[in-house]
Amino acid sequence: EADIYQTPRYLVIGTGKKITLECSQTMGHDKMYWYQQDPGMELHLIHYSYGVNSTEKGDLSSESTVSRIRTEHFPLTLESARPSHTSQYLCASSANPSGTGMKREKLFFGSGTQLSVL
Amino acid sequence: GEDVEQSLFLSVREGDSSVINCTYTDSSSTYLYWYKQEPGAGLQLLTYIFSNMDMKQDQRLTVLLNKKDKHLSLRIADTQTGDSAIYFCAESISDYKLSFGAGTTVTVRA
């Protein structure tokens, strides 16, 4: 069983609000990820982290920011939410060490946060 | 390129076999994955296959890999109502990244 938790599960907010989506994992994984998922579309990587104090942009440009102050915690923040940010946001973590060249990523996903910006 | 393509929908009768197909583009992908997403939940890793394998079987699941055609399939034997979900194919692009398809919604009818 994966121990990765996202809160809130659902969030409906007005335009211009600042929001933070929480993600925590208790598996001690170094690598964590944020994906954005829209219905009928592939998952898009928006942020990832190799470990504490490491944050990188993913493939899909996103106005969100992330931080990684603790291994277990990888929050995503939108300073000023807009309707275009409406989507499902999935957090994931993996234990595969970097630089192994194995390209084996067994990702564990949280249940996601469905964000609706009005 | 990093394109993973899947058909979007599959309807199958309970008890029949389901076959979900996927094509990928990165010939250097070492691992290929199948994830399952049930309504309101995150993605759950179902199975994965190493690129030097042609087939992997795990209980009701059979994964077939055709590296020449870059084609991956997932067969679910004796499909049950609990198998209704979205199934995502993914390939490993790099040390940190998986590239996902858009998902195939499988509907199991009685």
Side-chain angles (χ1 to χ4, degrees), chain A residues 9-10 31 33 35 37-38 40-43 45 48 50 57 59 88 90 96-112, chain B residues 2-4 8 26 28-31 33 35 37 39-45 48 50 86 88 92-103:
Chain A
R9 185 73 185 86
Y10 301 96
K31 294 161 85 171
Y33 313 79
Y35 283 87
Q37 181 188 22
D38 293 310
M41 305 289 288
E42 60 265 37
L43 277 71
L45 181 66
Y48 62 99
Y50 285 116
K57 294 274 189 192
D59 303 318
Q88 166 137 285
L90 291 170
N96 187 39
S98 301
T100 62
M102 292 293 288
K103 292 207 246 180
R104 179 179 62 190
E105 292 296 341
K106 185 176 180 181
L107 267 62
F108 293 93
F109 282 85
S111 298
Chain B
E2 302 168 0
D3 266 343
V4 177
L8 289 182
D26 190 341
S28 67
S29 289
T30 312
Y31 287 89
Y33 304 82
Y35 280 83
Q37 185 180 35
L43 275 69
Q44 174 194 1
L45 179 64
Y48 62 91
F50 189 48
I86 304 175
F88 290 89
S92 55
I93 296 296
S94 70
D95 229 12
Y96 66 87
K97 181 184 166 187
L98 297 185
S99 181
F100 286 85

Side-chain angles (χ1 to χ4, degrees), chain B residues 12-90:
Chain B
V12 62
R13 191 177 307 179
E14 190 175 9
D16 288 352
S17 292
S18 309
V19 179
I20 308 167
N21 294 301
C22 167
T23 58
Y24 62 97
T25 56
D26 190 341
S27 57
S28 67
S29 289
T30 312
Y31 287 89
L32 296 128
Y33 304 82
W34 284 104
Y35 280 83
K36 177 183 180 183
Q37 185 180 35
E38 295 181 9
L43 275 69
Q44 174 194 1
L45 179 64
L46 272 183
T47 187
Y48 62 91
I49 188 168
F50 189 48
S51 59
N52 69 351
M53 297 168 65
D54 297 323
M55 186 183 85
K56 180 179 179 182
Q57 187 150 3
D58 183 2
Q59 299 181 334
R60 291 191 297 121
L61 305 178
T62 303
V63 180
L64 295 177
L65 175 60
N66 181 329
K67 277 197 75 173
K68 176 176 167 289
D69 296 336
K70 298 193 185 70
H71 183 263
L72 183 74
S73 68
L74 174 70
R75 178 176 178 270
I76 306 172
D78 186 25
T79 310
Q80 303 298 308
T81 54
D83 296 324
S84 291
I86 304 175
Y87 291 81
F88 290 89
C89 171

Side-chain angles (χ1 to χ4, degrees), chain A residues 77-93:
Chain A
T77 299
L78 277 165
E79 290 293 333
S80 180
R82 295 205 301 272
S84 60
H85 296 138
T86 294
S87 187
Q88 166 137 285
Y89 293 83
L90 291 170
C91 180
S93 70

Side-chain angles (χ1 to χ4, degrees), chain A residues 11-19 36 61-64 77-87 89 115-118:
Chain A
L11 181 60
V12 181
I13 59 166
T15 297
K17 299 291 185 186
K18 177 180 178 180
I19 58 163
Q36 188 172 335
S61 174
S62 174
E63 292 163 352
S64 58
T77 299
L78 277 165
E79 290 293 333
S80 180
R82 295 205 301 272
S84 60
H85 296 138
T86 294
S87 187
Y89 293 83
L115 173 65
S116 297
V117 184
L118 306 178

